[in-house]
């Protein structure tokens, strides 16, 4: 079972931190796609995923939504 977090349930600071990590992850994934050495980004991608999980304080499978829109699903980021 996947736990769904709504970003709006967090205070503004935590929302910012989570959205920042998601943005950093998404930007890195785009850069990785066009890289001649994509594997060099894998450690950083893993760190971003770990940071998001830490901010949510969960070990369960999860996704993050903003109202009805999924903004992060680690199952879709299976690179690391």
């Amino acid at each position: 079972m996947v736990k769904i977090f709504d970003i709006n349930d967090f205070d503004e600071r935590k929302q910012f931190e989570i959205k920042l990590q998601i943005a950093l992850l998404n930007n890195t994934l785009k850069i990785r796609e066009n890289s001649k050495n994509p594997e060099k980004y894998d450690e950083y991608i893993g760190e971003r995923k770990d940071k998001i999980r830490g901010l949510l304080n969960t070990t369960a499978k999860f996704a993050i939504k903003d109202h009805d829109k999924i903004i992060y699903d680690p199952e879709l980021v299976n690179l690391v």
Side-chain angles (χ1 to χ4, degrees), residues 20-79:
L20 174 63
Q21 294 304 317
I22 292 170
L24 291 169
L25 176 60
N26 288 336
N27 286 338
T28 305
L29 291 170
K30 289 176 187 173
I31 293 167
R32 185 183 189 281
E33 285 178 12
N34 298 311
S35 176
K36 292 180 182 176
N37 301 310
E39 64 281 348
K40 74 179 185 178
Y41 297 98
D42 291 349
E43 181 178 350
Y44 184 79
I45 291 168
E47 289 170 1
R48 299 292 58 82
K49 290 170 71 175
D50 290 345
K51 181 74 174 176
I52 294 167
R53 182 176 292 283
L55 287 166
L56 298 174
N57 193 27
T58 186
T59 57
K61 288 186 176 186
F62 69 95
I64 304 170
K65 68 178 186 168
D66 186 354
H67 299 290
D68 292 330
K69 179 183 176 191
I70 297 292
I71 60 172
Y72 178 72
D73 184 347
E75 298 297 316
L76 301 176
V77 184
N78 288 325
L79 300 172

